[in-house]
């Protein structure tokens, strides 16, 4: 996909639709506009909360105080699958579905970027390592293709009508979550510790991790607060003492599918007065969260667009940025195989460029990470901003981008169950690095 984007931008420049010199000026301008739209950068001396400076009940922003209590409760409320919430507005829900179908390219990229953030939380990352359904490139390709297809179905049919694709996919996902939670709950403490990280014992025994995580850590030490207060609030560091796949974890999943797109729409190619449509989109995810078993008290999107945006900014500033200082080899491996898997049906996706784009959104300066990128990766990173904030203002280009995603998904669907295609992927070589104790590298 991003190869096609680069080609498109080159054509625009060549035909003077976007003059080459204006291209560079616009890149700088867009970066400046993006910085003004992002959360303010933190410094070690200006952390929103740290140590014992604030009483415990003030450590969490007001918008998240109910949601964080969900760490103590199982992630599935047991709600009947064919009963919609009493507060559901059908017209608003259908309007949000239509918006999602129309802008699926933007939503898909925002969601993939959100996973880089969600994987900063052990409650999100460790169940994926434990279940071993997405820890290799091919498994990741299969898992996330299935996820994209399921989410797309939730935008296309009624999730409360039995036997619709959306209804069946809601039931499948709830089943996956319940099964993973049960398996982790029944595992011994030693088995949990062993199977929620990578090493010589694991499958794969090799970790795909290099300089990226180290550069991120070095940049985060200067641009993000320590994570000790976050650790105290979320209590998610000890895998043997957590409620696995709890209500807070499920709420973060809603954030992954809705938070960035609702809060930074221009950064993902959505322009114009879209407040009504984005509010309807948040209503869709409030309702889908309910259908997936999230209680109203912990529902990230219940409260509309304004509250979703406030919660998103608070998650990024108070939780995600401090957690940049705790990334380790496991995080890098799982995010790399995620993006490599995505690239099998979205060619040209750059892991490094996307990580830097995430750092931009978080408002964390990343000079070391930037310096480690190749010229091609820097070009892709710049093209993302120019394409999203410039080219996507043109309706025909938005239509083309959404058609590209649809075509790529159809192609991936044809390949998904092909043994020959699986073997061709598994034969590929990747730059894995053997690390007997991969978690030993962690930000201080």
């Amino acid at each position: 996909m991003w190869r096609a984007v680069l080609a498109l931008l080159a054509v625009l420049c060549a035909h003077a639709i976007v003059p080459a010199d204006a291209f560079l000026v616009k890149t700088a301008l867009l970066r400046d506009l993006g910085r003004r739209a992002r959360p303010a950068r933190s410094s070690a001396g200006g952390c929103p909360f740290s140590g014992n400076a604030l009483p415990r009940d003030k450590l969490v922003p007001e918008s998240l105080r109910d949601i964080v209590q969900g760490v103590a409760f199982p992630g599935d409320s047991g709600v009947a699958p064919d009963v919609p919430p009493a507060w559901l507005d059908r017209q608003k829900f259908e309007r949000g579905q239509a918006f999602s179908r129309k802008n699926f390219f933007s939503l898909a990229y925002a969601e993939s970027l959100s996973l880089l953030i969600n994987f900063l939380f052990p409650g999100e990352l460790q169940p994926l390592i434990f279940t071993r359904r997405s820890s290799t490139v091919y498994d990741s390709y299969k898992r996330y293709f299935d996820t994209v297809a399921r989410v797309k179905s939730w935008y296309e049919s009624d999730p409360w009508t039995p036997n619709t694709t959306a209804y069946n996919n809601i039931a499948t996902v709830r089943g996956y979550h319940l099964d993973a939670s049960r398996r982790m709950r029944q595992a011994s403490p030693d088995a949990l510790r062993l199977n929620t990280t990578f090493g010589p014992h694991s499958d794969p025994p090799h970790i795909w991790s290099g300089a990226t995580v180290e550069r991120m850590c070095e940049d985060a030490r200067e641009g993000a607060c320590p994570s000790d207060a976050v650790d105290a609030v979320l209590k998610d560091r000890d895998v043997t003492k957590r409620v696995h796949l709890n209500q807070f974890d499920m709420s973060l999943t809603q954030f992954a599918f809705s938070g960035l797109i609702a809060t930074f729409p221009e950064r993902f190619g959505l322009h114009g007065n879209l407040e009504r449509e984005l509010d309807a989109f948040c209503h869709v995810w409030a309702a889908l969260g309910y259908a997936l078993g999230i209680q109203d008290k912990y529902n990230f999107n219940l409260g509309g667009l304004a509250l979703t945006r406030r919660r998103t900014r608070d998650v990024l500033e108070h939780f995600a940025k401090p957690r940049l200082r705790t990334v380790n080899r496991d995080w890098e491996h799982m995010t790399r195989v995620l993006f490599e898997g995505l690239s099998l049906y979205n060619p040209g996706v750059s892991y490094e460029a996307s990580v830097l784009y995430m750092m931009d959104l978080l408002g964390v300066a990343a000079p070391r990470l930037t310096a480690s990128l190749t010229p091609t990766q820097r070009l892709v990173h710049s093209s993302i901003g120019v394409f999203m904030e410039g080219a996507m203002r043109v309706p025909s280009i938005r239509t083309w981008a959404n058609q590209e995603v649809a075509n790529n998904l159809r192609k991936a669907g044809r390949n998904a169950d092909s043994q020959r295609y699986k073997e061709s992927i598994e034969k590929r070589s990747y730059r894995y690095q053997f690390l007997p104790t991969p978690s030993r590298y962690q930000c201080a």
Side-chain angles (χ1 to χ4, degrees), residues 51-261:
N52 298 316
L54 293 172
R56 181 63 177 274
D57 64 344
K58 301 294 185 183
L59 286 177
V60 180
E62 184 178 357
S63 73
L64 301 175
R65 286 179 191 166
D66 284 341
I67 286 177
V68 297
Q69 295 176 28
V71 298
F73 301 97
D76 195 310
S77 65
V79 65
D82 57 349
V83 180
W87 41 260
L88 179 70
D89 182 330
R90 282 282 184 182
Q91 287 187 335
K92 193 173 186 179
F93 183 83
E94 291 172 4
R95 188 165 65 249
Q97 284 183 309
F99 167 83
S100 304
R101 294 193 299 270
K102 183 180 178 182
N103 297 286
F104 196 71
F105 164 77
S106 296
L107 269 59
Y109 187 62
E111 290 158 11
S112 64
L113 218 63
S114 297
L115 291 176
L116 295 173
I117 297 171
N118 274 44
F119 287 4
L120 295 169
F121 297 84
E124 301 285 313
L125 180 62
Q126 289 178 338
L128 296 176
I129 298 175
F130 183 86
T131 56
R132 293 298 193 266
R133 290 187 60 234
S134 52
S135 54
T136 68
V137 172
Y138 181 76
D139 288 344
S140 178
Y141 157 76
K142 283 277 291 181
R143 179 190 179 93
Y144 293 110
F145 168 73
D146 289 346
T147 298
V148 169
R150 288 195 177 94
V151 171
K152 191 170 182 288
S153 78
W154 297 341
Y155 301 147
E156 296 173 338
S157 59
D158 184 2
W160 296 281
T161 299
N163 297 321
T164 63
T165 306
Y167 178 93
N168 293 338
N169 281 330
I170 288 281
T172 298
V173 171
R174 287 180 73 174
Y176 285 157
H177 291 167
L178 288 169
D179 179 65
S181 177
R182 175 188 57 78
R183 289 170 56 194
M184 295 185 76
R185 188 171 60 251
Q186 293 176 351
S188 69
D190 286 344
L192 277 176
R193 294 189 189 98
L194 187 69
N195 293 306
T196 53
T197 187
F198 293 112
H201 61 278
S202 65
D203 180 19
H206 296 74
I207 304 302
W208 194 354
S209 178
T212 299
V213 69
E214 298 173 17
R215 300 293 85 77
M216 280 184 62
C217 287
E218 292 165 1
D219 288 333
R221 289 193 190 102
E222 297 180 3
C225 300
S227 68
D228 52 345
V230 182
D231 298 344
V233 168
L234 299 184
K235 303 176 184 176
D236 58 356
R237 285 298 177 197
D238 188 342
V239 69
T240 68
K241 296 180 179 179
R242 278 204 315 265
V243 175
H244 303 294
L245 295 172
N246 56 57
Q247 288 283 318
F248 175 75
D249 296 332
M250 293 298 296
S251 186
L252 278 184
T253 300
Q254 285 180 291
F255 155 80
F257 286 102
S258 63
L260 294 186
I261 203 77

Side-chain angles (χ1 to χ4, degrees), residues 2-14:
W2 288 112
R3 290 175 188 169
V5 167
L6 287 170
L8 176 64
L9 290 174
V11 170
L12 293 176
C13 288

Side-chain angles (χ1 to χ4, degrees), residues 161-419:
T161 299
N163 297 321
T164 63
T165 306
Y167 178 93
N168 293 338
N169 281 330
I170 288 281
T172 298
V173 171
R174 287 180 73 174
Y176 285 157
H177 291 167
L178 288 169
D179 179 65
S181 177
R182 175 188 57 78
R183 289 170 56 194
M184 295 185 76
R185 188 171 60 251
Q186 293 176 351
S188 69
D190 286 344
L192 277 176
R193 294 189 189 98
L194 187 69
N195 293 306
T196 53
T197 187
F198 293 112
H201 61 278
S202 65
D203 180 19
H206 296 74
I207 304 302
W208 194 354
S209 178
T212 299
V213 69
E214 298 173 17
R215 300 293 85 77
M216 280 184 62
C217 287
E218 292 165 1
D219 288 333
R221 289 193 190 102
E222 297 180 3
C225 300
S227 68
D228 52 345
V230 182
D231 298 344
V233 168
L234 299 184
K235 303 176 184 176
D236 58 356
R237 285 298 177 197
D238 188 342
V239 69
T240 68
K241 296 180 179 179
R242 278 204 315 265
V243 175
H244 303 294
L245 295 172
N246 56 57
Q247 288 283 318
F248 175 75
D249 296 332
M250 293 298 296
S251 186
L252 278 184
T253 300
Q254 285 180 291
F255 155 80
F257 286 102
S258 63
L260 294 186
I261 203 77
T263 309
F264 309 104
E266 296 86 359
R267 299 281 284 171
F268 297 98
L270 300 181
H271 301 278
N273 185 8
L274 297 174
E275 299 297 284
R276 185 169 180 263
E277 288 81 2
L278 287 169
D279 187 57
F281 174 69
C282 290
H283 190 67
V284 167
W285 270 100
L288 291 175
Y290 179 91
L292 289 166
I294 301 175
Q295 299 177 39
D296 287 354
K297 182 179 181 180
Y298 313 113
N299 192 313
F300 194 88
N301 301 102
L302 193 56
L305 177 61
L307 184 56
T308 296
R309 284 176 169 170
R310 186 158 68 250
R311 283 174 169 165
T312 296
R313 292 184 184 277
D314 285 339
V315 164
L316 296 180
E317 183 67 25
H318 297 277
F319 290 171
K321 287 170 70 171
R323 283 285 165 92
L324 288 174
R325 298 177 58 143
T326 66
V327 292
N328 58 23
R329 305 281 187 197
D330 292 342
W331 178 88
E332 185 174 0
H333 176 85
M334 291 296 285
T335 55
R336 278 191 178 277
V337 296
L338 160 65
F339 273 80
E340 188 66 23
L342 291 174
S343 74
L344 296 179
Y345 57 87
N346 192 5
V349 169
S350 167
Y351 172 74
E352 289 81 3
S354 295
V355 170
L356 186 56
Y357 204 66
M358 174 200 70
M359 298 287 273
D360 289 345
L361 283 173
L362 289 172
V364 177
R368 297 169 185 82
L369 179 60
T370 302
S372 71
L373 266 60
T374 67
T376 299
Q377 290 164 350
R378 293 187 193 187
L379 178 60
V380 172
H381 173 256
S382 296
S383 76
I384 295 172
V386 173
F387 184 75
M388 292 296 191
E389 299 190 57
M392 283 286 282
R393 295 177 184 272
V394 181
S396 60
I397 292 180
R398 287 201 307 273
T399 300
W400 168 81
N402 284 296
Q403 288 175 344
E404 279 290 298
V405 171
N407 292 338
N408 290 339
L409 288 175
R410 280 193 291 271
K411 182 179 178 181
R414 291 193 296 268
N415 291 332
D417 296 318
S418 166
Q419 183 63 27

